[in-house]
Amino acid sequence: MAATTHDAGTRRDFLYVASGAMGAVGVAAIAWPFVDQMNPSTAALALASTEVDLSTVQPGQQVIVKWRGHPLFVRRRTPAEIASAKAVDVNSLPDPLAYNDNLPDNSPATDANRAIKPEWLILIGVCTHLGCTPTVSTPQMPEGDYGGWLCHCHGSQYDTAGRIRKGPAPRNLQVPPYSFLSATRIKVG
Amino acid sequence: MSGPSTYNPKSGFERWLDTRLPLPRLLHDTIHTFPTPRNLNIWYTFGGILTFCLAIQIVTGIVLAMHYVANATLAFDSVESIMRDVNYGWLIRYMHSNGASMFFLAVYIHMFRGLYYGSYKAPRELIWIIGVLIYLLMMATAFFGYVLPWGQMSFWGATVITNLFSAIPVVGNHIATWLWGDFAVGDATLNRFFSLHYLLPFIIAAVVGLHIWALHVPGNNNPLGIDVKSPQDTVPFHPYYTVKDAFYLVLFVIFYALFVFYWPDFFGNPDNYQQANPLVTPPDIVPEWYLLPFYAMLRSIPNKLLGVIVMFGAIATLVFIPWLDTSRVRSCRFRPLMKQFFWAFLVACVLLGYCGGQSVDAARFGIPLVWVARIASIYYYVFFWLIMPIVGLIETPKKLPASIAQSVLGDTAAAPAE
């Protein structure tokens, strides 16, 4: 009798563990759809691209267009702004990486790596701190100390190449994937 | 304190019910005969006031949901239609929006009261921790609710708060995208926030049930912070505290009504009467007043990850208070040293709130507010993690009264007859 009880016990233990494990796998399998439904849907994932006409943008001016729900900065830089961006030592920057989707990830944040053509700076207008849209600085209405942008939410300051110089933001403004279709037209995305 | 039940079913129906679903017995024991310290003051009426606030928010919220449309293109207009077209929609919405502020005002008074009288100390640790959980749920609910009108502050507040999660190394950006359901705050975000805003108040109601259940095991603390020793120290909850709570509730409702009818936008932000625009950030993003102290902490630290840690850490700290306080005496009435640090802490919280509402680079009397916020943030942490444990060990408390009854009634109470 004792042996039978023992056998029944191990068999029961096995069934307990096996059904418990199966149940856990089942719960995990059914939990995933409920987690993943929160992620962007296929409609949101469909990469939208936007074309921007540059011919109306004057030197020193910035226009903002919408791309994938975010503001996109299109800034036509003056020679003085380009020169001040080039004069900066990359090693002195808080963030030395270019964050340019058109270049390898480890590219340094030189001015040349931030803009395909020096005159045109194309950036995603989302502060890398907490996502506000920074305000552009112009000689007439300066914003911050570096001539680029100032984010009024929490005081991050960017230079004329959109690189973080001061404040809580950890990264340079992102450069989106874009290409020139002609001298006065770009395609973003 | 919750001794044997004194419920005595009178009618045959009550006896029948009592052996099947003893609901009358539960109500009798918890809100009728429940022995309550006889010395509870005005600050102890806020528990009842908070229950009232929760009920108001749920009732007005359910009504608003009948007229609101959770859609990025329609939400703003539907709120305007509630304000202009729906019968009494303006009243119900103003009750709801100002009700949130009243809810937080009451909860802050309730929390500071618990802090002052040592209500978190043994055996009431879990009551306090469940309370912190309710506070967290309230903040989440209020945040989701603030997004729904889809004005400029709604949109940018949602952007900033959800971006807090992007500070988490490696997975942060994925979490932010997961929260948004898109690559930015948008229609998907609005819909899920509406769903959660509707859900959370009912979870709060359930957790409030746990809070009250846990309270009814040791019973109320009291301003003296000493234990109830004899029936003389207590009075039945009804009618003594039902009437007292009701009286202060009426005063509170008058205060609440002043805002609803005379300054309905006092706590609001004019930017939220502009529809959300993902391309233009308002010059100053300000959260609702009740979140300003934490916002000031976030802004005062010039590093993204550290700022987020300090902000959430400030709330997490509250959970540990029952074990950080080493004093054997509960009430600050008998703690001459701790009392001073407590009031300084209150001042620090108010200062943080003030700094959080000003622009980042503002200064007063030549002092940059960011430094005021830094010092106040440091004091916030020092108060809990250093002052509380140390003062509890070195302080000599004043002599405690022998009993609640003796303190309230004088020495005549020593005689058992009344």
Side-chain angles (χ1 to χ4, degrees):
Chain A
M1 242 353 240
T4 325
T5 319
H6 179 73
D7 284 343
T10 47
R11 187 181 145 79
R12 180 166 290 179
D13 286 348
F14 170 77
L15 286 172
Y16 271 144
V17 172
S19 9
M22 203 55 218
V25 170
V27 167
I30 200 62
W32 176 245
F34 285 88
V35 173
D36 194 41
Q37 53 83 22
M38 297 267 286
N39 275 316
S41 67
T42 24
L45 282 175
L47 256 183
S49 60
T50 303
E51 289 186 19
V52 186
D53 178 18
L54 305 177
S55 59
T56 56
V57 186
Q58 301 303 311
Q61 192 191 1
Q62 166 186 276
V63 296
I64 299 180
V65 293
K66 197 174 171 184
W67 177 67
R68 285 173 69 178
H70 290 303
L72 189 76
F73 292 162
V74 178
R75 180 162 174 174
R76 188 170 181 183
R77 296 190 293 178
T78 61
E81 286 166 352
I82 300 170
S84 86
K86 281 193 192 305
V88 178
D89 176 13
V90 173
N91 295 317
S92 71
L93 292 170
D95 177 15
L97 292 176
Y99 288 101
N100 184 335
D101 284 335
N102 307 290
L103 295 173
D105 283 349
N106 57 356
S107 308
T110 58
D111 187 60
N113 281 346
R114 297 280 297 161
I116 294 176
K117 292 185 182 176
E119 193 178 16
W120 296 101
L121 190 60
I122 317 293
L123 299 168
I124 297 176
V126 174
C127 180
T128 58
H129 182 224
L130 294 173
C132 297
T133 304
T135 311
V136 68
S137 176
T138 58
Q140 294 78 34
M141 292 184 71
E143 297 276 354
D145 304 330
Y146 299 93
W149 287 267
L150 168 68
C151 183
H152 281 276
C153 288
H154 310 95
S156 294
Q157 299 189 18
Y158 298 89
D159 67 11
T160 52
R163 296 173 296 200
I164 180 66
R165 299 298 288 274
K166 192 182 170 190
R171 286 190 287 111
N172 300 328
L173 291 177
Q174 185 78 30
V175 181
Y178 69 97
S179 55
F180 279 84
L181 299 174
S182 71
T184 59
R185 201 165 183 82
I186 57 166
K187 183 184 174 196
V188 183
Chain B
M1 210 170 177
S2 54
S5 175
T6 56
Y7 178 64
N8 188 19
K10 289 176 193 74
S11 66
F13 174 71
E14 282 176 276
R15 273 191 296 278
W16 182 86
L17 193 60
D18 194 49
T19 51
R20 287 160 179 80
L21 179 70
L23 195 58
R25 179 182 294 275
L26 178 74
L27 294 177
H28 178 88
D29 293 343
T30 52
I31 62 174
H32 191 189
T33 58
F34 186 67
T36 312
R38 65 194 311 157
N39 59 338
L40 299 190
N41 56 23
I42 172 176
W43 308 112
Y44 282 78
T45 62
F46 281 86
I49 287 171
L50 283 161
T51 315
F52 169 82
C53 288
L54 179 61
I56 287 286
Q57 291 305 89
I58 289 179
V59 169
T60 54
I62 287 172
V63 172
L64 289 171
M66 294 177 185
H67 304 280
Y68 173 77
V69 185
N71 175 295
T73 51
L74 302 171
F76 187 84
D77 290 341
S78 77
V79 171
E80 284 311 301
S81 130
I82 289 171
M83 297 300 287
R84 292 154 193 249
D85 304 337
V86 174
N87 299 330
Y88 292 103
W90 59 271
L91 175 66
I92 294 161
R93 175 161 181 255
Y94 277 148
M95 282 172 75
H96 196 72
S97 58
N98 287 285
S101 282
M102 293 301 127
F103 205 158
F104 274 94
L105 180 69
V107 91
Y108 282 130
I109 293 173
H110 193 65
M111 289 164 77
F112 275 109
R113 187 270 292 159
L115 214 49
Y116 187 82
Y117 293 126
S119 302
Y120 48 84
K121 290 179 76 68
R124 298 184 181 82
E125 302 95 323
L126 276 180
I127 308 174
W128 174 264
I129 290 170
I130 292 169
V132 174
L133 179 65
I134 296 171
Y135 175 52
L136 262 181
L137 287 167
M138 280 174 63
M139 288 198 286
T141 311
F143 162 66
F144 291 140
Y146 195 56
V147 176
L148 302 184
W150 211 238
Q152 273 289 67
M153 260 327 146
S154 300
F155 181 89
W156 290 101
T159 298
V160 167
I161 301 291
T162 48
N163 262 303
L164 293 177
F165 294 92
S166 70
I168 302 168
V170 188
V171 293
N173 284 316
H174 297 286
I175 292 178
T177 306
W178 180 74
L179 290 171
W180 295 328
D182 205 333
F183 297 101
V185 172
D187 198 39
T189 325
L190 178 61
N191 269 284
R192 62 190 55 183
F193 280 11
F194 179 56
S195 172
L196 293 172
H197 184 69
Y198 207 115
L199 165 73
L200 286 186
F202 297 98
I203 296 192
I204 292 178
V207 182
V208 166
L210 295 181
H211 194 60
I212 296 173
W213 186 11
L215 171 70
H216 279 85
V217 178
N220 288 80
N221 184 30
N222 64 83
L224 297 172
I226 58 176
D227 289 329
V228 167
K229 296 186 180 97
S230 71
Q232 275 209 324
D233 289 344
T234 66
V235 288
F237 190 81
H238 178 76
Y240 293 95
Y241 284 111
T242 43
V243 169
K244 183 165 183 146
D245 280 0
F247 175 71
Y248 285 107
L249 177 62
V250 168
L251 296 188
F252 185 82
V253 169
I254 292 171
F255 180 72
Y256 172 26
L258 282 178
F259 285 100
V260 170
F261 292 104
Y262 294 97
W263 302 286
D265 287 314
F266 180 82
F267 298 107
N269 190 304
D271 279 312
N272 227 25
Y273 280 103
Q274 281 183 296
Q275 192 163 0
N277 181 352
L279 300 187
V280 181
T281 307
D284 282 304
I285 298 205
V286 189
E288 289 284 78
W289 68 268
Y290 38 81
L291 302 176
L292 286 175
F294 301 107
Y295 191 64
M297 288 188 190
L298 170 79
R299 287 203 310 191
S300 66
I301 290 166
N303 175 293
K304 183 174 172 178
L305 180 59
L306 208 59
V308 173
I309 290 174
V310 165
M311 186 177 83
F312 283 112
I315 301 165
T317 293
L318 301 175
V319 172
F320 301 100
I321 292 176
W323 296 279
L324 289 173
D325 185 353
T326 51
S327 173
R328 283 180 297 113
V329 174
R330 289 198 190 100
S331 173
C332 275
R333 267 195 197 172
F334 305 103
R335 303 187 59 189
L337 196 53
M338 193 58 192
K339 187 189 269 183
Q340 294 170 35
F341 286 115
F342 170 86
W343 290 114
F345 175 71
L346 185 68
V347 169
C349 290
V350 172
L351 271 180
L352 275 172
Y354 175 75
C355 294
Q358 308 300 312
S359 66
V360 238
D361 43 6
R364 294 288 176 276
F365 310 112
I367 309 163
L369 287 184
V370 67
W371 277 104
V372 177
R374 275 173 197 162
I375 291 164
S377 307
I378 291 169
Y379 184 74
Y380 183 101
Y381 274 90
V382 167
F383 176 74
F384 288 119
W385 291 97
L386 288 177
I387 293 174
M388 259 198 174
I390 294 172
V391 169
L393 295 176
I394 62 169
E395 182 182 49
T396 313
K398 290 187 197 164
K399 191 174 175 297
L400 294 174
S403 72
I404 294 172
Q406 191 212 37
S407 165
V408 175
L409 306 170
D411 285 331
T412 50
E418 191 155 336

